[in-house]
Amino acid sequence: MKIDHIALFCKDLERMRQFFIEHFDAHGNEPYINPRTGLHTYILTFPDGGARLELMFRPDTIAADPWKPNIGFIHVSIAVGSKEAVDAKTEELRSAGFTVASGPRTTGDGYYESCILGPEGIQIEVTV
């Protein structure tokens, strides 16, 4: 078994899509739109062919506070291959105006990572 995809609700679907395309080399399908519910989605794939990311928007979506521990989804972790790549990606995102919430650092359980607050405050963990 494997995880096929994880889905996120977004306020600005196009901005979130562009973030993953620009900074993590994702590729997306054409948008799916359900005229009955107002749901809009993209499925993003990444270069390694692993789990996909579904970005979703619906007008009645309620935002969670990214600075508080919310029940459910916490972050997306993207492996970039090396400590040097973690450092470079962290600096790229910082230079693009995104907040670096932590790191790069080695965590207590041995992961080398940084945590970025991406569009809409979504936590993006960049790891080896």
Side-chain angles (χ1 to χ4, degrees):
M1 282 188 255
K2 68 176 186 170
I3 293 176
D4 178 71
H5 74 276
I6 294 175
L8 314 174
F9 269 119
C10 317
K11 291 183 276 185
D12 187 337
L13 187 63
E14 295 301 326
R15 181 172 181 232
M16 193 71 84
R17 177 179 168 269
Q18 189 58 38
F19 172 79
F20 285 103
I21 289 171
E22 182 176 332
H23 297 288
F24 295 100
D25 299 325
H27 293 90
N29 63 335
E30 292 297 313
Y32 164 75
I33 301 170
N34 182 321
R36 185 178 57 78
T37 64
L39 176 70
H40 293 63
T41 69
Y42 286 107
I43 302 279
L44 302 181
T45 58
F46 294 87
D48 74 351
R52 297 173 299 157
L53 180 62
E54 181 176 13
L55 302 176
M56 304 170 67
F57 167 81
R58 217 169 75 175
D60 59 347
T61 303
I62 299 171
D65 184 342
W67 291 101
K68 294 182 181 174
N70 297 291
I71 297 298
F73 176 80
I74 300 300
H75 65 257
V76 172
S77 181
I78 299 178
V80 294
S82 69
K83 287 184 176 184
E84 295 78 16
V86 170
D87 294 346
K89 184 59 67 180
T90 302
E91 189 51 42
E92 172 192 323
L93 292 166
R94 180 192 328 269
S95 294
F98 295 100
T99 300
V100 176
S102 66
R105 67 190 177 99
T106 301
T107 64
D109 55 356
Y111 286 91
Y112 189 74
E113 66 184 33
S114 64
C115 185
I116 310 301
L117 296 182
E120 302 181 19
I122 182 174
Q123 294 181 32
I124 308 294
E125 181 182 276
V126 182
T127 190
V128 174

